[in-house]
Amino acid sequence: MKQIICLSHSPWHANPSRTYQLLSRFKNGRIIFFDPPLSGNGEHHWRDEGQQVAKNVTLHGSPPKGKTAESRRFFNKAYQKRLASHVAAVMRDYAFDKPLLWLTEPYSADFVGKMSHGAVIYDYQELACAETTRKDALRAALAAELLRKADVVIGQTKSACDTLRAANECAVLVPNGVDYALFSRAASANLA
């Protein structure tokens, strides 16, 4: 059974994200999903026990992160080291050994290699803005670094995947989709 550690930029209990949709469908895996720091509207604290949120998914929080970690590399490295220590402790509780790392956040480039893990999967989320601030510049630089470090990169669109392959030949297309049966009911006159 595959073991997966997911560090996500989007909380599990937010609107169901792409990562949520993909991971919740794994049939043969145990997943520990780490919400981003200070998220979840107080639903859980990062030191609390894990919360079973799906048959194969346990939710944990991440330690708090200062704002400077998003604009200064030194502080991001320090935070990622702290996060790796927290993740390693949680892994021991679940007897995880060299799990796959599923990453969605460019800042995680500094997390890779800080603890024992297997392959790195980067579920690439397109950057929404150009490099205009120190934070944007750091985010873009870390995204490029994580693209190089990842064993597999998942792209959402064909054009994004083509671009990603320039940095990592192991970029694969996993397009977004919908629950066709559910949405096709909207075409009928009876929506009850």
Side-chain angles (χ1 to χ4, degrees):
M1 183 174 288
K2 291 283 185 210
Q3 299 173 339
I4 300 172
I5 295 289
C6 178
L7 302 180
S8 179
H9 71 287
S10 179
W12 183 267
H13 290 297
N15 291 330
S17 69
R18 168 186 171 75
T19 304
Y20 168 99
Q21 296 293 342
L22 292 171
L23 292 178
S24 65
R25 285 168 170 72
F26 268 82
K27 301 292 184 215
N28 190 21
R30 291 177 49 218
I31 300 161
I32 303 174
F33 185 97
F34 287 87
D35 266 353
L38 303 175
S39 64
N41 298 322
E43 290 181 33
H44 66 274
H45 185 271
W46 70 278
R47 289 188 173 138
D48 289 347
E49 288 185 23
Q51 175 188 5
Q52 195 77 34
V53 291
K55 182 179 178 184
N56 61 332
V57 181
T58 304
L59 175 65
H60 278 270
S62 297
K65 172 172 73 170
K67 291 287 184 194
T68 53
E70 295 182 358
S71 59
R72 307 244 187 223
R73 184 78 185 258
F74 173 83
F75 293 107
N76 185 61
K77 285 181 178 182
Y79 174 73
Q80 297 300 329
K81 184 176 179 183
R82 179 179 185 209
L83 177 59
S85 202
H86 173 62
V87 169
V90 171
M91 280 175 43
R92 282 190 297 275
D93 291 343
Y94 292 88
F96 270 38
D97 182 43
K98 293 197 175 196
L100 298 173
L101 282 184
W102 188 296
L103 308 172
T104 69
E105 178 64 59
Y107 295 105
S108 297
D110 289 330
F111 182 91
V112 175
K114 295 274 189 286
M115 48 160 270
S116 178
H117 61 77
V120 175
I121 300 167
Y122 182 19
D123 188 0
Y124 179 81
Q125 313 292 316
E126 294 186 41
L127 300 176
C129 56
E131 297 177 32
T132 56
T133 67
R134 177 177 278 178
K135 179 180 175 179
D136 297 333
L138 177 60
R139 186 173 166 81
L142 289 171
E145 188 174 321
L146 188 51
L147 279 170
R148 290 188 302 273
K149 288 180 174 182
D151 296 291
V152 175
V153 178
I154 300 172
Q156 299 174 15
T157 64
K158 184 180 181 326
S159 61
C161 229
D162 291 343
T163 302
L164 295 171
R165 280 194 190 101
N168 188 319
E169 65 184 26
C170 293
V172 296
L173 174 63
V174 180
N176 291 329
V178 298
D179 182 336
Y180 181 78
L182 175 66
F183 282 93
S184 65
R185 289 190 354 220
S188 71
N190 184 3
L191 295 176

